[in-house]
Amino acid sequence: MEIAIKTENLVKIYPGKGKSRGKPVKALVDLNLQVKVGDIYGFIGPNGAGKTTCIKTLMGLIRPTSGKAFIFDMVAGTVEAKKKVGYLSEVAYYYPFMEVGKLLDFYCSFYNIPRAKRKKKITEVLGLVKLSNKTNARMSELSKGMMQRFGIAQAIIADPPLLILDELTSGLDPIAQKEVKDIILDLKKRGKTIFFSSHVMTEVEKICDQIGIINQGVMLKSAGLEDFLKEESGAFTRIVFGGKPDKLLESFKEKGLEIDNVSTGIFAVVVPDNDVGEIIDTLRNEKGNIIEIKPRRFSLEDAFFKLVKERDEKQQKGSEIKEKQEV
Amino acid sequence: MSIRNIIRIASITFEENYRKKFLYILLFLSGLLMVSAFLFDPFNMGQQLPVVKDICLTGLGFFGLILTFALFLTAIPNEIEKKTIYPLLSKPINRSDYLWGKYLGNMAMVFINVFVLTIEIIFLINKLLPADVTMAHRMTELNTIFWTASLIFVECGVVGSIIILFSPFMSYPVNLVLTMLLYITGNVSQGYINYLSAEKLTSFGAGLSIILKFILPNFEYFHIKNSVVHSYIIDPKYVFGTFTYGIIYILIVMFLADILFQRRDL
Ligand SMILES: Nc1ncnc2c1ncn2[C@@H]1O[C@H](COP(=O)(O)OP(=O)(O)O)[C@@H](O)[C@H]1O
Ligand SMILES: [Mg+2]
């Protein structure tokens, strides 16, 4: 099993200035990360979790306080390692005065690829990200979605085996997100390893092979996508109903079900799959309108909140034990 | 370090600069100042040659410095702030390549501007020289203009390298003030430092003054304008020596700048 990205107890402490009013910020705490060659790895966590910090360390843009990072067994950030990586930064701006094709050529020139070959590459890559008709446009004329696609183009221009993409889909509308998702799948088919971060759990995570969830600089869980989704998937069903529900609500409450008031006169309950028949019978008997019946899949968002909750509880227990010991 | 990468980064820096309109305005105004000194003979006392020389060369030095400050102060901070540095530094390049590329790209712009004005000055002075001077004399006169301009250019290079040294760590107002202070100190202090070391006040004071003498750039060396204005003889060896001094100074400052920039979190 070949490893594309590896970190060993990566720690980054930002000296406290400005933003944090003097307190040092622990952005990464003993982060151990491993990404296999050929995988799509989704690095998920809320704002401020430490995703960008980790990625910048992988690109040699910042120095870790301690710990090590490797790209294909080369020290991250060295010229040799950078030859193997295409990188898209979180906030990406490009020289606005340059033309799309010329700027790509500029970035490509650092890989010592002969001019004729570069030209072919640029045409090919611009086709892949659907910017062929913008080759001669100024960068300043591109829309946000196009800019993000250009970002992918400049990352893959020299055909590196690994792509590191920070906040790949953030700030894009659903159509642009879909376009980006398709490009990523296409790249996977070409044998690329893809590591991307995101603070929102969108549809895109469904294309991941592996997912890592990070919060406050700590990796909460890193596992295969199925591992996250199998936990409770299909175990519950959500039933939305309306009508004259006074009696219904009472009987549901007796059963201990939680009732969600969707809008005026419309309610929803989440019930174990086994009880669905019974609930539908009750609804029929009481002349309620059944509006929707849908299996409730366990989403990544649920997984995330669960992990954070578990951790908080653990920490609380930990501190309680400590307190007891101190007493 | 890779020379090719440095050239690539220098080129794109240059490409960015030549779109800056204020450069053309600055160049135009400086050129205008020189031509008007030539046309209007402001003091009208049959002293036109030295007066025009003085105005032109002072103008050139001033113009060079303003240009250097304008280009270098924002060069790196802007790229860090606007994040255009990320896609670039993630390519297989060293930070040293980037630093030198930025330096040389901006210096190329300074060079072209100083060069254009120098040609203008040489042209004006050539016109002002009496028709009956010998060819040898004429060449010497014009040569000294060229030397003065070369030293002004190297001086700009020293100032530029100092700005680059500070710029990843300072906001540009602070950098501006600090570099200006260094420039002024480097201009006035040498005599004072010599005096201090001659007095040998205390061994500490003497030691300090020697250290200062070596650390501070001695900008006075570069200013040969007064001799040129009065057509004194100038030793080419002096010009060459000072030129070398400037280049070595730049190399040392850039070396330090590189060490600091390598450690900078971006
Ligand atoms: N340059 C910096 N100086 C100080 N603190 C920083 C700096 N960059 C990020 N941080 C802090 O480090 C933590 C992690 O930030 P970041 O890696 O950007 O998170 P993410 O990308 O997951 O949103 C945050 O608390 C953030 O405020
Ligand atoms: Mg981020």
Side-chain angles (χ1 to χ4, degrees):
Chain A
M1 188 181 70
E2 244 190 301
I3 301 295
I5 301 177
K6 191 164 136 194
T7 70
E8 289 173 359
N9 299 325
L10 208 58
V11 176
K12 178 66 188 183
I13 300 170
Y14 289 110
K17 258 189 274 174
K19 267 197 270 179
S20 57
R21 302 226 172 80
K23 267 192 198 157
V25 179
K26 258 193 164 180
L28 293 177
V29 187
D30 285 329
L31 191 83
N32 289 298
L33 181 73
Q34 240 187 49
V35 179
K36 274 182 291 171
V37 169
D39 273 359
I40 300 184
Y41 189 107
F43 194 34
I44 317 290
N47 280 324
K51 304 177 297 292
T52 300
T53 303
C54 174
I55 287 176
K56 281 186 178 174
T57 316
L58 293 174
M59 294 313 299
L61 292 168
I62 61 177
R63 300 176 144 229
T65 310
S66 67
K68 287 177 190 155
F70 301 96
I71 305 280
F72 295 111
D73 291 330
M74 290 172 284
V75 174
T78 55
V79 171
E80 287 311 305
K82 285 197 277 189
K83 273 185 192 158
K84 303 283 177 205
V85 195
Y87 165 65
L88 172 62
S89 57
E90 174 174 23
V91 205
Y93 286 107
Y94 305 93
Y95 301 112
F97 55 88
M98 290 290 279
E99 286 164 18
V100 171
K102 279 202 180 136
L103 188 54
L104 269 187
D105 188 58
F106 169 69
Y107 288 135
C108 194
S109 67
F110 293 104
Y111 296 86
N112 295 323
I113 297 168
R115 188 176 292 267
K117 219 173 151 193
R118 286 210 304 260
K119 244 186 150 175
K120 233 182 89 192
K121 272 234 150 87
I122 290 164
T123 317
E124 185 195 318
V125 165
L126 282 178
L128 185 79
V129 300
K130 308 201 172 57
L131 284 175
S132 299
N133 57 340
K134 294 283 174 190
T135 310
N136 296 317
R138 285 268 158 79
M139 288 304 297
S140 52
E141 294 163 24
L142 299 191
S143 72
K144 195 164 175 176
M146 291 176 189
M147 199 79 101
Q148 193 72 344
R149 267 149 42 212
F150 176 85
I152 296 176
Q154 61 82 32
I156 61 177
I157 188 67
D159 215 15
L162 170 65
L163 295 172
I164 297 184
L165 313 165
D166 199 358
E167 297 292 352
L168 177 62
T169 54
S170 310
L172 298 182
D173 61 58
I175 298 174
Q177 280 189 17
K178 169 94 173 51
E179 283 169 346
V180 166
K181 179 176 154 185
D182 290 343
I183 295 170
I184 295 303
L185 284 174
D186 196 2
L187 288 168
K188 183 186 159 75
K189 265 187 225 143
R190 293 166 194 234
K192 308 278 179 225
T193 308
I194 294 151
F195 178 84
F196 74 86
S197 81
S198 175
H199 74 275
V200 278
M201 305 184 194
T202 59
E203 276 298 295
V204 176
E205 278 71 58
K206 298 277 163 65
I207 65 176
C208 294
D209 302 301
Q210 293 280 318
I211 287 184
I213 292 194
I214 182 178
N215 191 34
Q216 298 182 347
V218 178
M219 185 73 96
L220 297 181
K221 179 170 177 173
S222 175
L225 180 69
E226 330 78 63
D227 238 40
F228 279 95
L229 294 184
K230 79 175 178 206
E231 294 199 6
E232 286 173 41
S233 105
F236 288 88
T237 299
R238 187 168 185 260
I239 301 172
V240 183
F241 60 94
K244 264 194 186 169
D246 292 353
K247 247 187 175 173
L248 274 174
L249 292 182
E250 238 167 69
S251 70
F252 285 168
K253 260 181 199 159
E254 271 168 28
K255 284 191 177 118
L257 296 174
E258 231 173 85
I259 298 157
D260 204 10
N261 197 342
V262 180
S263 68
T264 38
I266 298 179
F267 302 88
V269 280
V270 176
V271 298
D273 284 356
N274 294 339
D275 301 347
V276 172
E278 192 192 325
I279 299 289
I280 289 176
D281 284 346
T282 322
L283 277 168
R284 283 223 182 103
N285 292 341
E286 299 294 335
K287 304 222 162 51
N289 302 327
I290 299 173
I291 298 170
E292 188 185 60
I293 302 175
K294 213 178 177 186
R296 207 185 72 118
R297 297 269 168 255
F298 191 69
S299 71
L300 276 172
E301 234 162 320
D302 297 330
F304 174 71
F305 286 122
K306 203 176 138 204
L307 283 166
V308 172
K309 217 173 131 192
E310 274 172 17
R311 194 186 153 76
D312 283 352
E313 278 167 8
K314 240 191 235 166
Q315 269 180 350
Q316 230 167 10
K317 261 188 209 159
S319 57
E320 271 168 25
I321 290 167
K322 240 190 197 169
E323 270 171 35
K324 270 182 199 163
Q325 281 172 342
E326 275 166 21
V327 173
Chain B
M1 279 216 297
S2 143
I3 303 289
R4 283 167 149 194
N5 289 348
I6 291 174
I7 293 171
R8 288 173 188 131
I9 294 166
S11 320
I12 205 162
T13 305
F14 186 80
E15 194 155 345
E16 180 171 16
N17 280 338
Y18 83 65
R19 291 160 208 273
K20 291 180 177 160
K21 291 198 182 67
F22 77 86
L23 291 183
Y24 299 97
I25 298 171
L26 203 59
L27 183 65
F28 177 75
L29 289 179
S30 313
L32 199 66
L33 170 85
M34 292 166 188
V35 172
S36 48
F38 170 77
L39 289 179
F40 301 124
D41 187 7
F43 301 104
N44 199 18
M45 304 194 313
Q47 282 284 337
Q48 207 189 354
L49 182 63
V51 170
V52 170
K53 262 195 202 171
D54 200 348
I55 291 177
C56 284
L57 293 176
T58 308
L60 184 67
F62 200 62
F63 166 80
L65 275 182
I66 290 182
L67 186 63
T68 307
F69 274 101
L71 290 177
F72 280 84
L73 274 176
T74 55
I76 293 179
N78 265 2
E79 277 226 278
I80 295 176
E81 196 179 319
K82 292 191 179 146
K83 322 272 188 213
T84 50
I85 198 170
Y86 291 155
L88 184 51
L89 281 190
S90 64
K91 302 294 175 287
I93 60 174
N94 276 318
R95 288 196 183 184
S96 321
D97 300 347
Y98 176 78
L99 209 64
W100 274 102
K102 279 278 148 190
Y103 179 76
L104 293 176
N106 283 310
M107 279 316 286
M109 199 64 187
V110 174
F111 177 82
I112 289 182
N113 280 276
V114 169
F115 186 77
V116 167
L117 287 181
T118 306
I119 297 292
E120 182 189 342
I121 296 170
I122 287 179
F123 178 80
L124 295 179
I125 301 300
N126 188 37
K127 282 244 157 185
L128 277 184
L129 283 171
D132 55 351
V133 296
T134 61
M135 196 60 196
H137 182 185
R138 189 175 288 271
M139 285 321 286
T140 317
E141 281 281 341
L142 298 182
N143 246 338
T144 57
I145 301 285
F146 175 73
W147 288 341
T148 316
S150 311
L151 291 188
I152 285 175
F153 174 66
V154 179
E155 184 185 21
C156 291
V158 174
V159 172
S161 68
I162 292 172
I163 298 175
I164 291 264
L165 173 70
F166 294 150
S167 72
F169 303 90
M170 286 174 200
S171 65
Y172 28 85
V174 178
N175 193 343
L176 173 70
V177 170
L178 199 64
T179 308
M180 288 271 245
L181 270 177
L182 258 181
Y183 182 75
I184 294 166
T185 336
N187 255 302
V188 299
S189 63
Q190 294 298 324
Y192 187 63
I193 290 169
N194 283 340
Y195 168 78
L196 272 183
S197 50
E199 285 286 297
K200 292 201 178 58
L201 298 169
T202 58
S203 56
F204 174 75
L208 187 71
S209 66
I210 288 169
I211 290 172
L212 281 180
K213 191 168 174 169
F214 278 104
I215 289 182
L216 285 178
N218 190 344
F219 287 112
E220 258 179 329
Y221 287 162
F222 298 107
H223 299 167
I224 56 172
K225 184 199 75 193
N226 286 342
S227 312
V228 172
V229 166
H230 298 109
S231 301
Y232 296 149
I233 293 166
I234 290 169
D235 185 358
K237 268 193 216 139
Y238 175 83
V239 177
F240 182 74
T242 309
F243 200 90
T244 315
Y245 166 78
I247 300 291
I248 291 173
Y249 203 90
I250 291 168
L251 288 174
I252 293 172
V253 174
M254 285 299 286
F255 177 74
L256 293 176
D258 188 28
I259 291 176
L260 291 180
F261 188 55
Q262 297 286 351
R263 315 186 69 84
R264 167 77 148 86
D265 277 355
L266 293 169

